[in-house]
Amino acid sequence: MNQLKIGIAGLGRLGKIHANNLAFRIPGCTLTAACSLMQSELDYARSELGVQDLYLDFDEMLVNADIDAVAIVTTSGEHCRQLTAALAAGKHVFCEKPLGVTVEECLSAEKSVENHADKTFMLGFMRRFDPSYVYAKQKIDEGAIGTPYLVKATGVDPLKFIEGSLKFAGSSGGLFIDMAIHDIDLMRWFLGAEPETVYALGGSFGFPQFAEMGDAESGCALYKFDNGAMGIIHTGRTAAHGYHIETEIVGTLGSIRISPVPQKNLAILYNSQGVVTECVEAFPERFAEAYLAEMQEFVDCVLSGRKPNVSVYDGTRSTEIAFATTESFKTGQLVRLN
Ligand SMILES: NC(=O)c1ccc[n+]([C@@H]2O[C@H](COP(=O)([O-])OP(=O)(O)OC[C@H]3O[C@@H](n4cnc5c(N)ncnc54)[C@H](O)[C@@H]3O)[C@@H](O)[C@H]2O)c1
């Protein structure tokens, strides 16, 4: 095979980004089919992406479409069932995070992947493909900061999208499961270790509606890893200045900081407001290169038979840690991970 035929499921906020990349920017693949619950999104796929083979039902796409692989970018609660069905139908699978909405779903997804070991499976932890994170990992592996012993991560959504955050909060799994999972994965990746304990706090300072739903608007969590390293996560939904993603990795010989000022670009505006650096607006802008690179990696892995470096086990582990973090926030107790 030298050209992968892909069907995409989900054409929402992120699905459209992946679909555009697959249709126009990734050599080695053709976007041949698309599926969504919404006819308007299928019309978009036909008119904007030139996809003619369109489905309102995922299983019908699996049966009828001429595809080698599926990209699953649907609502989180659909991922586990759809990836299982796609693998059983003999398709390679790219699946957006989260792997599942419960740990049980993740373990079931592991079994499906193990039962179809001849198929490529990749999970969408795209930050591992962001050029700055790739560079940081490379520097750590080269010993540039000595032994890494602390990761400090901030991930706060823009206040201007608070209506959307409130709308989806009830079905998102909660702040730590929905928002912190990327930082949890990155801590494991950078430190090469697994958390042993977590202690988390949360509160709803500007928007009590989150507390009324049993969730938190803002939170932080402290992790101790099995090699003695430490992790601190600050996550939330109310960054007034924009989309604040910042990571620092501290080692025995130095540290690496990724976007300590989450600026839009290198331009600085001098005007009546003072000296102004605009902030990145949201995830499509901040991680545009990462979404492209991760999907290119998926296609290359299928075509070459190489295994992706984000596995189904990374999905389960991050989910287990996110649930333990939520448990600590809800009980006020330190939680020990297996
Ligand atoms: N990696 C990241 O940075 C990142 C960013 C945003 C979202 N996500 C994940 O991507 C997924 C999609 O998020 P979104 O914001 O694009 O959601 P969205 O609500 O904008 O879109 C969801 C899409 O899934 C489709 N869909 C839902 N159920 C379906 C089904 N049974 N069969 C076929 N299609 C179905 C809908 O029609 C819609 O097109 C979520 O799981 C989310 O967690 C990841």
Side-chain angles (χ1 to χ4, degrees):
M1 192 196 311
N2 55 14
Q3 190 73 8
L4 190 68
K5 286 178 275 186
I6 301 193
I8 191 162
L11 289 164
R13 286 185 314 167
L14 184 54
K16 284 197 184 72
I17 295 172
H18 283 312
N20 272 278
N21 287 339
L22 288 165
F24 304 121
R25 300 191 187 97
I26 298 180
C29 76
T30 313
L31 183 64
T32 48
C35 168
S36 164
L37 297 181
M38 295 170 71
Q39 185 58 47
S40 59
E41 293 180 350
L42 297 179
D43 294 343
Y44 167 89
R46 191 191 304 277
S47 62
E48 304 301 315
L49 308 175
V51 179
Q52 302 303 324
D53 198 10
L54 302 167
Y55 298 88
L56 286 162
D57 183 90
F58 181 77
D59 298 287
E60 266 182 39
M61 179 169 82
L62 287 184
V63 172
N64 295 322
D66 178 20
I67 50 176
D68 310 301
V70 177
I72 297 172
V73 201
T74 53
T75 315
S76 303
E78 299 290 328
H79 294 183
C80 180
R81 187 194 76 74
Q82 291 181 341
L83 74 87
T84 300
L87 288 165
K91 312 300 178 193
H92 303 280
V93 174
F94 171 89
C95 182
E96 253 315 319
K97 69 86 191 161
L99 181 61
V101 290
T102 61
V103 172
E104 290 69 30
E105 274 196 3
C106 294
L107 295 172
S108 150
E110 282 185 5
K111 288 278 164 295
S112 300
V113 172
E114 286 165 2
N115 289 340
H116 299 91
D118 58 323
K119 297 295 165 212
T120 300
F121 175 83
M122 182 169 153
L123 189 68
F125 278 147
M126 81 301 181
R127 287 202 205 169
R128 292 198 193 194
F129 297 88
D130 173 77
S132 302
Y133 286 105
V134 171
Y135 177 81
K137 174 73 169 145
Q138 190 186 325
K139 286 290 161 193
I140 291 168
D141 291 348
E142 288 169 9
I145 61 166
T147 304
Y149 63 80
L150 170 65
V151 175
K152 295 193 263 179
T154 301
V156 185
D157 266 352
L159 178 60
K160 85 186 228 194
F161 297 132
I162 193 70
E163 289 305 324
S165 300
L166 280 166
K167 188 168 151 207
F168 290 111
S171 58
S172 70
L175 179 72
F176 293 106
I177 289 162
D178 188 37
M179 296 276 305
I181 199 138
H182 290 291
D183 286 320
I184 289 171
D185 178 61
L186 286 181
M187 285 193 307
R188 299 173 58 245
W189 193 49
F190 285 134
L191 294 171
E194 297 292 345
E196 271 182 349
T197 57
V198 54
Y199 180 65
L201 296 168
S204 299
F205 306 97
F207 295 88
Q209 298 96 310
F210 289 104
E212 286 155 19
M213 286 184 266
D215 196 9
E217 160 217 285
S218 306
C220 57
L222 191 60
Y223 300 83
K224 178 179 173 230
F225 284 75
D226 55 12
N227 63 355
M230 300 167 282
I232 302 170
I233 284 180
H234 164 210
T235 185
R237 315 181 199 256
T238 55
H241 52 290
Y243 183 51
H244 193 129
I245 299 294
E246 172 187 353
T247 311
E248 180 175 2
I249 308 107
V250 186
T252 50
L253 297 176
S255 62
I256 303 176
R257 299 182 78 168
I258 299 156
S259 62
V261 179
Q263 60 201 59
K264 191 175 191 64
N265 52 39
L266 295 178
I268 299 173
L269 182 65
Y270 300 78
N271 66 9
S272 59
Q273 306 297 307
V275 181
V276 181
T277 306
E278 274 188 52
C279 187
V280 173
E281 188 185 52
F283 69 85
E285 180 185 5
R286 171 64 183 85
F287 290 112
E289 287 168 290
Y291 293 124
L292 185 61
E294 72 172 350
M295 200 58 88
Q296 181 72 68
E297 173 69 0
F298 172 67
V299 170
D300 291 349
C301 281
V302 176
L303 294 178
S304 67
R306 188 161 46 79
K307 286 275 174 216
N309 84 349
V310 190
S311 74
V312 70
Y313 304 106
D314 292 312
T316 304
R317 198 67 195 128
S318 301
T319 306
E320 284 170 342
I321 298 163
F323 271 94
T325 308
T326 304
E327 184 188 336
S328 176
F329 154 60
K330 292 201 164 173
T331 61
Q333 303 293 314
L334 181 129
V335 171
R336 206 163 287 284
L337 285 128
N338 295 325

